[in-house]
Amino acid sequence: MASLYSRPVFALALSTGLLLAGTVRAQEAPLKFGKLEAKEATALLAVPTADSAAAEVLCDFGQSSIQGKNEGFELKFERTARLLIRRRAGYDHATVRVLLYHDPKGGGREELLQLKGLTYNLTGTTLSKEPLRTEAVFSRKVDERLDEYAFTLPNVREGSIVEFTYVIKSPFLFNLQDWQFQQDIPVRWSEYRTTIPSFYRYKELTRTYWPFALNETGAKAYATTYREDTRTSYGSIPTGSGNSYTITTQALTRRWVQKNLPAFHPESFMTTERDYLSRVDFELERIQFDEKRPPQFIVGNWAEIEKELLEKESFGQYLRATTAVSTAAAPLRTLPDPTERAAAVRQQVLAAVGYSGSTGTHVRNTAKRVVELRQGNAAEVNLLLVAALRAAGLDAQPLLLSTRAHGRIQTELPVVSQFNYVVAHVALPEGKELLLDATDASLPHTLLPDYCLNGQGRLLGPAGKWVNLADNAPHLLYTNAQLMVNARGEIQGNIRQEYAGYAAAEHRRPLPALRQQWQQAHPDWQITTIEASAPDVARPVVLELKASLPGAEAPAATLYLRPLQQLILPTNPFTQAERLYPVDFTTARRLECIVNITLPAGYAATELPATMQLVLPNEGGRFLFNVSQPNPQTIALLGRLQLTKTHYSAEEYHALRELYTKALAKLAEPIVLQRQ
């Protein structure tokens, strides 16, 4: 697979009339609504759909521009799309949903205009057209700022071609429409164009794992008219009698095209799909109508955003509130070791306030109210933690991050909406640092929840900077087994399994649940007794079992033993022959197994698996298998699989998959015993 298809491309550009790569002539639209003829429909239906998908996007075309209106400017977004519905399973794609933003305080509202739709059905050489009816359009309130409009194209059946077009007018200049090229069905052609006058500048972030057929920048003359209402001592009178103004300037034009995109399918070990879909996003950075005057910055730098956030009542003032939690933390100043002190403070917060399960970067209740309720969201709990750490004499600051389900942070875009979680950062002596979270009591103070391990977080306060969220603690499973074999091939003995690091949190649960979990993972084993110990969250969870693997009904002259196959690697997590996207683990992974087997009397080992050592490129990991025979009646097995990285590119996937495949094959090789 060529690297162009498997390595992500992230490009940041400033959309401005002053930075031009050349002038682009007007281009014909790739799709015109209502212009499909029977001959073209026949040709479209004759082309097989990629991957035999139930539906596909034939063409999706959008364009955005800024134009004048009463009392200022507005965004105009136009979209026209055509889809082919192959089978009944694709009928859902004939329903389209459009989100519109409104300001509950200022009263501004986006409008959906010029909505039209058609369903084409080809019968022989006759192409019928059925239009979308007004009564098929529904709206609902999503939240206080978003409304959803939904419509379903009529008379859809297998082989239908559906088409729709609409316009959105928005008074919110910050809300330049983003564009997603890739979808969960194949896309033959996706195109987006923007025309931005020079007095508006947007930050543009393009991300893709697929090449652009076109990625053009140009310039053209721009003119628009806007009207100012007549103003009297009673205020503005929007009667149309005000003054009209025409503004001319240069505009930056952008055009992106991707074609023949495969359907997006989530793969194992990924963050949110938004991190992988081909798309372009925008943020309004500044407005400048007069070059002789300073610009108005909409998106500031990180320092400005941090200062504003810390001054907000819903965030920064929360840190300065005195509560029972911060009061209780003050006496801990006497603990000399700052790490131990931080751990003690976190323990107090865990005991005082529970986690509601809701993420976010803003509080909903006052600090005192959260303590009274004994429950809060992630921001409330961890801002209480920061305040308590400060009360205990520690240098603590909030650290903003984005969870894995929310998506990776783009550090080039200083926008608070990228974050959805807050943890505490403590500066330690000798330049060391400690990240703390008080939402999960099953984790030690040294570990953040695994869903927080997502790239980088932004530290607020005087030392504002980016902080790497990668954790050195692995996901570790260690197995030690002392087993005996009888003449029927039955294996029985003692098994000790230790779950450390992030694996411990997954197994820190009541014994009945642990037993069920182990039995599901090892269905062939029969458990006689089982005990678990987890003295504290800083130590591994230990499971000790007496168990057996059934043998034959009668003694056999030849026995085949495969004990490791059932103990450490039941399945290969990488089943796909090809992978389009990187493998993204939350943390490094280790599996270790030591097994000593006592042979039945009168039997000898006649075949033993050969020793194997495999190493991944770029120090990405290794597999080691070793078998030895300390004496004629004892066989010692060692298996170790170690992945040292958390991120493996699509180019590295084949080697990673091959490592697991060969490791499983080696663990499945039998030990052959013969009766002497």
Side-chain angles (χ1 to χ4, degrees), residues 294-332:
Q296 175 190 358
F297 285 94
I298 307 300
V299 174
N301 56 41
W302 284 112
E304 292 171 346
I305 288 176
E306 291 159 12
K307 181 176 182 293
E308 179 184 352
L309 193 57
L310 289 170
E311 290 175 353
K312 276 189 175 182
E313 188 70 29
S314 62
F315 194 97
Q317 293 297 322
Y318 203 89
L319 298 172
R320 293 182 279 277
T322 300
T323 66
V325 174
S326 57
T327 301
L332 296 174

Side-chain angles (χ1 to χ4, degrees), residues 265-268 573-580 653-654 657:
H265 297 297
E267 298 174 335
S268 57
F574 306 111
T575 57
Q576 295 172 302
E578 300 290 334
R579 187 176 175 108
L580 302 176
Y653 172 73
H654 288 290
R657 182 173 183 263

Side-chain angles (χ1 to χ4, degrees), residues 193-505:
R193 303 178 189 177
T194 60
T195 302
I196 308 297
S198 61
F199 36 82
Y200 288 99
R201 177 180 289 188
Y202 290 81
K203 285 189 174 182
E204 166 200 313
L205 182 69
T206 304
R207 70 179 83 192
T208 183
Y209 284 84
W210 303 94
F212 282 100
L214 289 171
N215 187 351
E216 299 175 342
T217 303
K220 72 175 186 179
Y222 173 89
T224 190
T225 301
Y226 75 94
R227 179 182 296 277
E228 282 189 354
D229 292 330
T230 301
R231 302 180 186 278
T232 71
S233 58
Y234 300 101
S236 296
I237 303 176
T239 61
S241 60
N243 297 321
S244 292
Y245 299 91
T246 299
I247 292 182
T248 59
T249 184
Q250 286 286 100
L252 179 76
T253 61
R254 294 285 281 121
R255 184 186 182 201
W256 301 266
V257 174
Q258 288 193 325
K259 59 183 182 180
N260 299 325
L261 292 172
F264 176 80
H265 297 297
E267 298 174 335
S268 57
F269 305 110
M270 295 177 69
T271 57
T272 182
E273 67 178 35
R274 184 180 174 86
D275 288 340
Y276 304 90
L277 289 166
S278 292
R279 58 184 301 111
V280 58
D281 299 312
F282 303 92
E283 292 287 346
L284 178 59
E285 184 194 26
R286 74 182 196 183
I287 303 171
Q288 187 176 20
F289 287 95
D290 188 346
E291 293 183 3
K292 297 178 181 179
R293 296 183 180 181
Q296 175 190 358
F297 285 94
I298 307 300
V299 174
N301 56 41
W302 284 112
E304 292 171 346
I305 288 176
E306 291 159 12
K307 181 176 182 293
E308 179 184 352
L309 193 57
L310 289 170
E311 290 175 353
K312 276 189 175 182
E313 188 70 29
S314 62
F315 194 97
Q317 293 297 322
Y318 203 89
L319 298 172
R320 293 182 279 277
T322 300
T323 66
V325 174
S326 57
T327 301
L332 296 174
R333 285 174 173 265
T334 58
L335 291 177
D337 185 279
T339 301
E340 291 181 6
R341 198 187 320 165
V345 172
R346 173 181 178 266
Q347 202 60 38
Q348 285 185 341
V349 176
L350 281 167
V353 185
Y355 176 44
S356 67
S358 176
T359 60
T361 57
H362 294 285
V363 300
R364 295 183 175 89
N365 294 297
T366 65
K368 290 183 179 180
R369 182 60 177 159
V370 170
V371 175
E372 290 173 358
L373 294 172
R374 298 182 61 81
Q375 189 179 67
N377 63 22
E380 291 165 340
V381 170
N382 285 328
L383 289 177
L384 273 176
L385 175 61
V386 174
L389 291 164
R390 291 178 177 180
L394 293 165
D395 181 3
Q397 299 290 346
L399 184 136
L400 302 179
L401 59 85
S402 174
T403 60
R404 292 172 64 84
H406 190 250
R408 286 191 175 271
I409 295 296
Q410 304 306 322
T411 58
E412 306 92 340
L413 292 180
V415 180
V416 174
S417 60
Q418 292 194 88
F419 304 101
N420 73 324
Y421 205 88
V422 183
V423 297
H425 175 281
V426 177
L428 299 175
E430 301 177 357
K432 296 180 181 179
E433 55 191 6
L434 178 65
L435 301 182
L436 296 165
D437 176 271
T439 65
D440 189 348
S442 70
L443 290 170
H445 68 278
T446 53
L447 300 184
L448 294 178
D450 59 0
Y451 52 77
C452 291
L453 305 182
N454 190 30
Q456 300 181 81
R458 185 70 190 184
L459 177 63
L460 305 184
K465 62 177 181 178
W466 291 105
V467 175
N468 188 1
L469 298 173
D471 203 298
N472 293 326
H475 185 286
L476 171 61
L477 168 60
Y478 170 76
T479 301
N480 188 299
Q482 306 297 320
L483 305 176
M484 298 180 64
V485 183
N486 64 23
R488 293 184 290 109
E490 178 187 21
I491 299 175
Q492 59 182 331
N494 299 319
I495 301 169
R496 176 186 173 92
Q497 291 198 316
E498 296 183 11
Y499 306 91
Y502 281 94

Side-chain angles (χ1 to χ4, degrees), residues 95-117:
T95 297
V96 183
R97 291 176 172 81
V98 181
L99 289 176
L100 299 182
Y101 179 84
H102 63 269
D103 183 355
K105 294 181 179 179
R109 181 177 293 273
E110 292 181 334
E111 296 180 275
L112 179 64
L113 306 168
Q114 301 175 37
L115 172 60
K116 293 181 286 186

Side-chain angles (χ1 to χ4, degrees), residues 579-637:
R579 187 176 175 108
L580 302 176
Y581 307 106
V583 175
D584 195 321
F585 294 113
T586 52
T587 188
R589 292 176 172 249
R590 285 170 55 193
L591 290 163
E592 296 185 15
C593 188
I594 296 174
V595 177
N596 293 308
I597 303 174
T598 301
L599 307 187
Y603 284 77
T606 57
E607 291 184 35
L608 295 175
T611 295
M612 173 181 279
Q613 182 169 334
L614 304 172
V615 179
L616 286 177
N618 305 317
E619 299 181 354
R622 63 180 61 240
F623 170 70
L624 173 66
F625 177 83
N626 185 62
V627 58
S628 61
Q629 197 164 9
N631 58 65
Q633 292 304 113
T634 305
I635 296 173
L637 301 173

Side-chain angles (χ1 to χ4, degrees), residues 489-662:
E490 178 187 21
I491 299 175
Q492 59 182 331
N494 299 319
I495 301 169
R496 176 186 173 92
Q497 291 198 316
E498 296 183 11
Y499 306 91
Y502 281 94
E506 297 175 6
H507 294 81
R508 207 174 298 282
R509 57 189 63 187
L511 181 59
L514 273 178
R515 177 174 183 144
Q516 182 181 14
Q517 184 180 34
W518 197 91
Q519 190 70 81
Q520 288 175 346
H522 307 84
D524 296 331
W525 288 83
Q526 296 176 357
I527 300 173
T528 305
T529 64
I530 182 170
E531 295 180 358
S533 62
D536 59 67
V537 295
R539 299 173 65 182
V541 173
V542 178
L543 200 60
E544 298 199 50
L545 310 94
K546 289 184 182 296
S548 62
L549 274 173
E553 294 182 358
T558 303
L559 302 176
Y560 298 89
L561 310 179
R562 295 180 175 87
L564 289 190
Q565 184 182 26
Q566 290 95 345
L567 275 178
I568 62 173
L569 276 180
T571 58
N572 188 341
F574 306 111
T575 57
Q576 295 172 302
E578 300 290 334
R579 187 176 175 108
L580 302 176
Y581 307 106
V583 175
D584 195 321
F585 294 113
T586 52
T587 188
R589 292 176 172 249
R590 285 170 55 193
L591 290 163
E592 296 185 15
C593 188
I594 296 174
V595 177
N596 293 308
I597 303 174
T598 301
L599 307 187
Y603 284 77
T606 57
E607 291 184 35
L608 295 175
T611 295
M612 173 181 279
Q613 182 169 334
L614 304 172
V615 179
L616 286 177
N618 305 317
E619 299 181 354
R622 63 180 61 240
F623 170 70
L624 173 66
F625 177 83
N626 185 62
V627 58
S628 61
Q629 197 164 9
N631 58 65
Q633 292 304 113
T634 305
I635 296 173
L637 301 173
L638 169 66
R640 181 181 296 132
L641 177 67
Q642 182 176 12
L643 301 181
T644 57
K645 301 195 304 183
T646 60
H647 187 89
Y648 294 84
S649 68
E651 291 92 343
E652 295 175 303
Y653 172 73
H654 288 290
L656 183 63
R657 182 173 183 263
E658 188 70 8
L659 179 77
Y660 268 85
T661 300
K662 289 183 176 179

